[in-house]
Amino acid sequence: MIYVGFSTPNSFKIFSFLTKLWMRTNYSHVYLRFYDEYTSKWIILEASHGDVHLVEWNNWLLKNNPLDETQYDLDQKHRREVIRFAIDHLQKPYSMANIAGIVFYSLFGKRVFRDGPKAFICSELIALALDNRITLTKPLDLVTPKDLHHAIFGAKNVK
């Protein structure tokens, strides 16, 4: 099993504040959490603080406040694919171009600043990791945490 969660930092961060303001949500981030049997630890996959990385759950909680999570029951094959995806994308840079592209698209309706699989924002990374287990209505480079929350929890539960 894996979990997809939505969170906010424990302390004030300007980027998070602006993201929540822009999306009109109480969260600014999306992450994926899985259990590693070898180490007996919960691990977070996220794109933040400059790159794609893994963080142990208790260390992640020191700086983050999870607000919403949902569980995905995956068979062993699909769970392995998600973890391999995570490992394959470690250390890829955070995509400020995607952030600019989302803002530009929402203001002017034109797609610009696409960097594909070279760099990620949190929502794009987690949407790709889920590999079509959720239905999205826009290209992945334009998907926000709010879009993922809506796709997972539905319109009536969008926060």
Side-chain angles (χ1 to χ4, degrees):
M1 103 182 61
I2 62 170
Y3 291 86
V4 174
F6 300 84
S7 66
T8 191
N10 285 341
S11 61
F12 180 81
K13 305 285 185 206
I14 189 67
F15 188 72
S16 173
F17 173 78
L18 294 172
T19 301
K20 290 187 285 189
L21 190 64
W22 178 265
M23 294 188 308
R24 296 184 181 115
T25 61
N26 63 342
Y27 54 84
S28 57
H29 185 59
V30 60
Y31 61 89
L32 188 143
R33 181 167 64 97
F34 64 91
Y35 188 75
D36 178 46
E37 291 83 9
Y38 185 74
T39 61
S40 300
K41 298 277 187 176
W42 284 98
I43 307 295
I44 297 292
L45 168 66
E46 64 180 353
S48 70
H49 306 293
D51 67 3
V52 174
H53 54 266
L54 299 174
V55 181
E56 191 272 336
W57 174 248
N58 291 314
N59 289 332
W60 185 84
L61 287 173
L62 295 172
K63 296 181 180 179
N64 298 281
N65 180 25
L67 301 173
D68 245 343
E69 271 193 346
T70 191
Q71 176 180 318
Y72 284 86
D73 292 319
L74 303 177
D75 61 34
Q76 191 66 21
K77 176 185 175 216
H78 289 107
R79 187 176 177 284
R80 183 177 297 117
E81 287 173 4
V82 169
I83 294 170
R84 282 184 177 160
F85 171 88
I87 292 168
D88 288 345
H89 292 82
L90 289 176
Q91 302 295 278
K92 288 192 177 175
Y94 189 85
S95 179
M96 291 309 291
N98 271 21
I99 300 298
I102 289 169
V103 172
F104 195 87
Y105 181 80
S106 68
L107 293 173
F108 305 109
K110 296 201 183 251
R111 286 179 69 194
V112 294
F113 308 120
R114 290 178 241 164
D115 52 19
K118 296 177 192 168
F120 295 95
I121 61 170
C122 63
S123 46
E124 177 189 24
L125 178 73
I126 302 311
L128 276 169
L130 292 175
D131 189 34
N132 299 319
R133 288 177 181 84
I134 56 172
T135 303
L136 296 165
T137 59
K138 57 172 78 167
L140 292 181
D141 60 327
L142 298 175
V143 170
T144 67
K146 184 175 182 176
D147 295 325
L148 279 180
H149 195 279
H150 181 277
I152 292 168
F153 293 106
K156 64 180 176 239
N157 293 319
V158 172
K159 294 181 180 179

